[in-house]
Amino acid sequence: MIDQTVNVKFLRAVSLLLWAVLIFIPLVTLFVQSIFPSVESETTGRNSHLMFRSFGLAFIIAATAVLLGYVPGLLLGTSGGSRGGSRGGGWDLLLLLLLVPLVLPRYVLYYAWGLLLSPTTELGQYIAGSGELARFVGTVTSSVVLILWYWPLAALLIGQGLRNIDRQIWDCARLDANAFGRFKEITLPLMGRTLLLAFGVCFVLSLSEFTTFHLAGIQTIGTELAVMYELTGSESYVARAAWPIAAAAIILAVTLGKSSRQPALSTPAIDTAERESGRWQWVILIMLFGISLIGPLVLLVGNVTDTQAFRQFFKLHLDELGWSAVIASAAAGTAYLIAVGSLSLERSNRTGRWLSRVMQSTIFLAMLVPGSLVAVSLLKVLTVCRVPIAFRQSWLIVSAGQAARFSGISLILLFLIRHWQDRQLAEMASLDGASRLKAWWYVHLPGTWPVFVGSFILVFMFSMTELSATMVLLPAGLPNFAQRLLNQMHYARDQQVIASCLILIGFFLLLTAALVLLLRLIRIRCAVLMIFAVGVFGLIGCDSESNATDGPEIVNVFGGTGRGRGEFMYPRAIDIAPDGSLFIVDKTGRIQRFDPEGKFLGAFQMPRVEAGKTIGLICATNCNLYVAYTHYHRVLIFSHDGKIIGEFGRFGQEEGCFIYPTDVAFSGDGRIFVSEYGGNDRISVFSEKGDFLYCFGAPGSGPGDFARPAALCVDKPRGRLYVADACNHRIAIYNFDGELFGHIGSAGRAAGQLRYPYDLALLSEGTLVVCEYGNNRLQLFSPDGRSLGVHGRPGRRLGELAYPWGLAVDNRGCVFVVDAGNNRIQVWRL
């Protein structure tokens, strides 16, 4: 008995420690910063407009989701299940139909339906040709997708509320009123609180939504918060801007915490076997299920045209899948431990019960506020507490943030079984002298293991695809599947995205089947050992070797995070003017000019940045700056002092038109080369006046094809045009007339291989320097394609890189590297 008490106390102590460090203290820090902001956290006037749009969209999404979820919730709440805990096959089928759509990430759902509006389709071309229409369609499409994801969640909450209405009330109502009368007089008054709760959950989660609105180009509070820390580096600014979501989340979290303490939540009150469901209700449910899950899957499978994307995935992205699985497994285990500890305290003394209520409310709060806020606050706490940087820059911090976000899921599932027990069997086991542990193992566990497994699987799946917290916490260079999938969606690489989505869905289904089968055959102990072994294997297998040569000589470094002079918000492109000055553009659309030593000389702003950001620029010999105005489908020409003096190109697939231009280069004889992606994936050639001459290349992976040509580089003495074929992971070599000479590199991480080459430059002797975004390094190639060395590795220190986007070489042989993830420019001599 003493050992059992010690074990329970140890469990509670560990759970309390994890809760305090991962949830409670970060949340307190968050709200303290929102109340007492620092000077730089002043909000701008545009926040009121942003807030109005965010609350309006969230209201529409939540109300429609509750409306659509009412009928499926009615079926769930009045089918099968009784006080005794037995459930019929119909109830299990209903629960499955409601849970399965939640497995498909919202941004995958958006991408699947978005295939119908791709720029390569006639409808997509028409929409993309008008900026206002494109934004309107993006708003509608993203809102509909969120409704299709949230209605099952609303249905689950409504179904649970209906199961708490006493059966006798239903029996009397059926005798005295028709269906509408029962809804008006019985259902609505008794279900009002549940409907409001379902609306509140969907409303707050919609308010916090990041990825779907981000992909659609819609600015909301959720999208702004997710990138604000990356762009400002200020916890106070993020916390201050988040107060509307935080206020709504607090109210809802307290309500959920209070509701969770009501025994009726987990004890169905009606025997619904006597109530028959109408066929039309099932028809509505099947239609919603088809639109939410079957339709997107059919679209994904139906758009597969090239199986090479699947082969490339297993060659390039298994490390990302493996690391993400390890991180998600640790998060699922930690989340479950926190939830179990909070419930365990309910059975202790008065202080423990009070602490349990606080824990449960804050757990729900961490689930409801945007993940970026939880992540930012967690980083702040760890920094203040001087936690070793080895932990703050490891995969463990990502698991910690995900566990804080999704402990609420484990807690909700545990609520469903906390009152389940077979008292008779438990008493018999006790009379036979069984310990509490053995009684739990042989009596309680056989009936409750599905919830344990379900909790692990759901948290695992949500963690695998979580983005807003992961983007803040992810250490430089750590492979992550969700981040790579989001990047692929931005690249508009349909086949690679489709392959990744289908592999992810297949992996989820395989995991679920394997775990259920494993637990049925060998129960928990061996299953835990197996999961642990898989995690360790994943850690070992995913630890890629470093192929870096001796570290580069660091000549200089300048920049930092911020919007001030000489500071950057994720710099993306660089070039050197004939006079030696540098032009650098960052994600805000601001182009800054520096001298060769990094001294700020001036800045000017791109005309618009709402649709997307510039990713390529080059300075001509006459000192005019040519900028690939990517998401506005043209090339802008600036004077040296930042005035627009010309432009060429427009949206379309015809000759001389662009979808998403990425870079510009000059042949030296008057020809201008422009690369683009998004459906055209080609190189277009123009005269000095901007008149179209010819083009070459097409979307694909074969010889002469491109998959997001990201950068251009001209070798005038050899008459070569190098093209960074980013998503084919190679460098294409052409002459100036578009004749293909060959390719350099192949997909991989070893020397001589490439992973998302984003930019190119030439040293004086003709050596090609390649900036590899995916491998966080620079690689040198001879003119004949031999690898001459690899420099840099993932990290935050000097000589290390975090997602480098570009580079430029001056006449001294110094290489200026755009260290985007670290918001700085490093100057190396290779």
Side-chain angles (χ1 to χ4, degrees):
M1 188 68 181
I2 295 177
D3 291 339
Q4 296 170 22
T5 303
V6 171
N7 289 337
V8 171
K9 289 183 177 180
F10 178 75
L11 171 66
R12 291 174 179 171
V14 172
S15 177
L16 274 171
L17 178 63
L18 290 172
W19 165 76
V21 173
L22 302 184
I23 297 177
F24 181 72
I25 297 177
L27 287 178
V28 171
T29 302
L30 169 67
F31 287 103
V32 168
Q33 289 182 338
S34 66
I35 297 172
F36 303 105
S38 57
V39 175
E40 73 271 15
S41 66
E42 296 295 330
T43 56
T44 61
R46 75 187 187 93
N47 283 347
S48 57
H49 179 69
L50 193 68
M51 191 183 307
F52 178 79
R53 181 194 302 131
S54 302
F55 274 77
L57 288 174
F59 181 88
I60 294 172
I61 292 168
T64 310
V66 171
L67 185 63
L68 292 179
Y70 178 76
V71 171
L74 183 66
L75 280 172
L76 183 69
T78 58
S79 301
S82 66
R83 288 183 181 274
S86 62
R87 295 186 177 110
W91 192 91
D92 293 333
L93 176 61
L94 278 167
L95 189 61
L96 180 66
L97 291 176
L98 294 177
L99 287 176
V100 169
L102 296 176
V103 171
L104 200 65
R106 296 182 289 280
Y107 52 90
V108 172
L109 187 63
Y110 173 80
Y111 182 84
W113 284 112
L115 290 172
L116 299 175
L117 302 175
S118 169
T120 57
T121 65
E122 292 186 6
L123 179 59
Q125 290 182 35
Y126 175 77
I127 293 172
S130 171
E132 293 299 327
L133 179 61
R135 280 190 291 274
F136 174 76
V137 172
T139 302
V140 173
T141 305
S142 55
S143 299
V144 170
V145 164
L146 291 175
I147 290 168
L148 293 178
W149 197 88
Y150 283 122
W151 74 259
L153 184 62
L156 289 170
L157 294 171
I158 292 170
Q160 182 60 54
L162 285 167
R163 291 171 66 80
N164 293 332
I165 299 177
D166 195 286
R167 186 189 66 180
Q168 293 182 359
I169 298 177
W170 284 110
D171 291 339
C172 294
R174 280 200 296 269
L175 295 174
D176 298 334
N178 56 23
F180 178 77
R182 291 196 298 271
F183 173 80
K184 179 181 178 182
E185 303 296 336
I186 303 297
T187 306
L188 196 57
L190 294 178
M191 286 291 296
R193 181 175 179 179
T194 300
L195 292 173
L196 286 175
L197 183 62
F199 173 84
V201 170
C202 296
F203 178 84
V204 174
L205 292 178
S206 299
L207 203 61
S208 305
E209 178 64 27
F210 161 65
T211 315
T212 306
F213 286 136
H214 175 67
L215 286 172
I218 308 303
Q219 289 185 323
T220 65
I221 295 176
T223 61
E224 293 300 287
L225 291 177
V227 298
M228 195 174 291
Y229 180 74
E230 177 187 348
L231 298 181
T232 64
S234 170
E235 298 91 349
S236 298
Y237 189 94
V238 177
R240 182 67 171 177
W243 72 264
I245 298 182
I250 289 175
I251 296 172
L252 186 57
V254 172
T255 303
L256 281 172
K258 185 177 180 180
S259 299
S260 67
R261 295 189 292 275
Q262 297 176 357
L265 183 65
S266 56
T267 308
I270 72 173
D271 186 357
T272 57
E274 299 178 8
R275 181 171 180 178
E276 298 181 358
S277 300
R279 183 176 299 176
W280 65 272
Q281 296 172 328
W282 280 95
V283 170
I284 291 176
L285 174 61
I286 297 300
M287 288 176 60
L288 289 172
F289 180 80
I291 297 173
S292 300
L293 183 68
I294 304 301
L297 288 178
V298 170
L299 282 171
L300 289 172
V301 174
N303 279 276
V304 174
T305 59
D306 183 9
T307 58
Q308 181 176 347
F310 291 88
R311 295 192 295 271
Q312 189 179 82
F313 178 92
F314 289 108
K315 186 175 183 180
L316 276 180
H317 303 302
L318 277 182
D319 61 333
E320 296 159 359
L321 195 64
W323 271 110
S324 297
V326 170
I327 291 170
S329 298
T334 305
Y336 187 80
L337 187 59
I338 293 173
V340 167
S342 72
L343 287 179
S344 173
L345 285 168
E346 286 185 341
R347 297 187 292 272
S348 62
N349 54 29
R350 182 177 180 181
T351 301
R353 290 192 295 272
W354 177 85
L355 185 57
S356 174
R357 296 169 187 171
V358 175
M359 286 184 68
Q360 291 171 15
S361 295
T362 53
I363 287 172
F364 286 132
L365 181 59
M367 181 179 67
L368 293 169
V369 298
S372 55
L373 297 183
V374 178
V376 166
S377 301
L378 180 60
L379 283 178
K380 180 71 172 180
V381 170
L382 296 179
T383 303
V384 171
C385 296
R386 297 185 178 180
V387 174
I389 194 166
F391 177 83
R392 286 183 279 145
Q393 292 296 320
S394 73
W395 63 271
L396 293 171
I397 186 64
V398 185
S399 287
Q402 293 176 351
R405 282 217 67 194
F406 300 125
S407 295
I409 295 175
S410 294
L411 186 59
I412 290 172
L413 290 176
L414 288 173
F415 282 148
L416 300 177
I417 64 159
R418 64 176 177 177
H419 295 291
W420 186 96
Q421 58 181 346
D422 193 321
R423 296 184 181 276
Q424 185 177 4
L425 289 177
E427 290 174 358
M428 292 175 62
S430 178
L431 291 174
D432 290 338
S435 65
R436 291 175 59 186
L437 179 61
K438 288 184 176 180
W440 174 83
W441 179 265
Y442 290 104
V443 177
H444 190 70
L445 182 60
T448 60
W449 69 261
V451 177
F452 291 99
V453 176
S455 171
F456 180 89
I457 291 175
L458 279 178
V459 175
F460 178 91
M461 290 177 177
F462 279 109
S463 298
M464 279 283 293
T465 56
E466 201 279 336
L467 271 168
S468 56
T470 301
M471 287 174 60
V472 174
L473 298 171
L474 192 68
L478 180 67
N480 182 264
F481 178 84
Q483 185 195 51
R484 183 67 66 203
L485 181 56
L486 181 64
N487 286 340
Q488 288 178 335
M489 290 177 178
H490 279 300
Y491 302 157
R493 304 316 315 159
D494 288 348
Q495 294 304 303
Q496 295 180 12
V497 175
I498 291 170
S500 297
C501 291
L502 291 175
I503 289 172
L504 175 68
I505 295 169
F507 176 68
F508 280 176
L509 294 176
L510 181 63
L511 173 70
T512 303
L515 278 177
V516 171
L517 179 62
L518 188 66
L519 287 169
R520 283 189 179 278
L521 293 177
I522 54 180
R523 309 184 85 179
I524 292 292
R525 283 173 291 189
C526 295
V528 171
L529 292 176
M530 182 68 71
I531 293 170
F532 178 76
V534 169
V536 172
F537 175 77
L539 274 175
I540 297 173
C542 295
D543 190 13
S544 58
E545 297 180 0
S546 173
N547 295 292
T549 58
D550 294 336
E553 177 187 351
I554 311 298
V555 177
N556 190 16
V557 61
F558 60 91
T561 301
R563 297 175 179 268
R565 293 184 171 187
E567 296 177 329
F568 303 110
M569 305 289 197
Y570 207 84
R572 303 179 79 169
I574 185 173
D575 198 44
I576 302 177
D579 63 0
S581 61
L582 307 169
F583 287 95
I584 302 170
V585 63
D586 66 9
K587 241 182 170 182
T588 66
R590 183 177 56 157
I591 299 177
Q592 298 186 76
R593 186 180 168 212
F594 299 84
D595 71 8
E597 303 304 319
K599 180 182 177 182
F600 176 82
L601 299 177
F604 57 93
Q605 184 71 35
M606 294 295 294
R608 298 181 64 183
V609 294
E610 294 85 359
K613 315 302 188 295
T614 296
I615 60 176
L617 53 79
I618 185 171
C619 198
T621 54
N622 61 2
C623 291
N624 288 338
L625 187 67
Y626 287 69
V627 179
Y629 203 14
T630 308
H631 292 271
Y632 292 91
H633 325 294
R634 68 196 68 181
V635 173
L636 293 183
I637 307 172
F638 291 86
S639 64
H640 202 61
D641 56 359
K643 296 179 180 179
I644 298 178
I645 58 176
E647 65 175 58
F648 59 90
R650 60 183 176 83
F651 177 81
Q653 292 185 287
E654 300 84 11
E655 293 181 342
C657 297
F658 304 122
I659 293 184
Y660 298 127
T662 57
D663 200 12
V664 183
F666 307 107
S667 65
D669 59 6
R671 284 178 283 184
I672 303 173
F673 299 91
V674 181
S675 55
E676 62 171 314
Y677 76 102
N680 291 341
D681 291 84
R682 64 190 179 189
I683 310 299
S684 296
V685 187
F686 298 83
S687 68
E688 282 184 296
K689 296 181 179 180
D691 298 324
F692 175 79
L693 300 177
Y694 57 92
C695 65
F696 54 91
S701 56
D705 294 337
F706 297 116
R708 195 182 194 263
L712 303 171
C713 181
V714 171
D715 186 348
K716 295 178 184 177
R718 295 175 177 82
R720 288 182 174 185
L721 174 69
Y722 293 100
V723 183
D725 192 4
C727 292
N728 280 327
H729 313 285
R730 64 190 183 188
I731 307 301
I733 309 172
Y734 289 86
N735 65 16
F736 295 159
D737 296 323
E739 180 184 351
L740 178 66
F741 287 162
H743 294 97
I744 295 175
S746 60
R749 294 179 289 274
Q753 295 181 320
L754 300 167
R755 201 176 188 190
Y756 296 104
Y758 266 20
D759 204 5
L760 309 166
L762 283 173
L763 297 178
S764 58
E765 70 277 12
T767 298
L768 183 67
V769 187
V770 181
C771 172
E772 295 186 62
Y773 175 90
N775 283 327
N776 292 284
R777 68 187 185 187
L778 303 185
Q779 187 166 183
L780 276 61
F781 290 93
S782 67
D784 60 359
R786 291 181 295 108
S787 176
L788 301 178
V790 176
H791 299 273
R793 61 181 180 180
R796 306 293 184 186
R797 294 175 294 185
L798 293 181
E800 298 177 338
L801 301 170
Y803 315 114
W805 267 79
L807 75 163
V809 178
D810 67 7
N811 52 19
R812 302 171 298 169
C814 293
V815 180
F816 294 78
V817 187
V818 178
D819 191 5
N822 289 319
N823 288 310
R824 65 188 178 189
I825 305 297
Q826 294 194 59
V827 187
W828 295 357
R829 184 172 283 115
L830 304 179

